């Protein structure tokens, strides 16, 4: 799978307002976005289509899959397929 070995480059505390990316939380990789009100939105950054790792897209504020083109909102909602299932939120 593409990107499975990519390490998070930030911690939750590093995220500024309106910023997202892969972060480390309790030693686990999480996709996180801090909205303009300061609320954190955390998802499991693995595509629900075939399990590829997702990357944060700053320009679109979306989670994108390089394998087959699925795109998800910062909340995990499907923007574009082939994936039809939303991303699960992360509770850590």
């Amino acid at each position: 799978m593409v990107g499975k070995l990519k390490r998070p480059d930030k911690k939750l505390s590093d995220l500024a307002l309106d910023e997202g990316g892969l972060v480390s939380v309790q030693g686990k990789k999480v996709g996180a976005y801090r909205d303009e009100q300061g609320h954190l939105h955390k998802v499991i950054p693995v595509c629900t289509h075939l399990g590829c790792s997702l990357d944060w897209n700053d320009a679109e504020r979306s989670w994108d899959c390089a394998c087959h083109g699925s795109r998800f909102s910062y909340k995990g909602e499907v923007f574009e397929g082939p994936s039809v299932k939303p991303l699960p939120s992360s509770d850590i």
Side-chain angles (χ1 to χ4, degrees):
M1 298 295 142
V2 172
K4 287 291 183 187
L5 298 178
K6 185 174 182 179
R7 291 189 174 164
D9 56 355
K10 300 178 182 185
K11 295 178 183 172
L12 280 177
S13 59
D14 295 336
L15 292 179
L17 296 179
D18 195 29
E19 184 179 17
L22 295 174
V23 297
S24 179
V25 178
Q26 299 174 4
K28 297 186 181 191
K29 183 168 45 172
V30 174
Y33 170 75
R34 187 181 305 275
D35 65 25
E36 292 175 345
Q37 290 75 39
H39 299 109
L40 281 169
H41 303 272
K42 298 181 291 182
V43 297
I44 297 172
V46 177
C47 185
T48 56
H49 176 235
L50 289 176
C52 291
S53 290
L54 302 176
D55 289 312
W56 178 249
N57 178 332
D58 283 322
E60 301 291 329
R61 290 177 184 75
S62 63
W63 293 103
D64 297 354
C65 180
C67 292
H68 300 105
S70 290
R71 295 179 58 235
F72 303 86
S73 75
Y74 63 84
K75 293 181 179 180
E77 301 151 330
V78 177
F79 274 163
E80 191 172 329
S83 187
V84 295
K85 292 182 182 178
L87 297 176
S89 59
S90 173
D91 56 2
I92 58 169

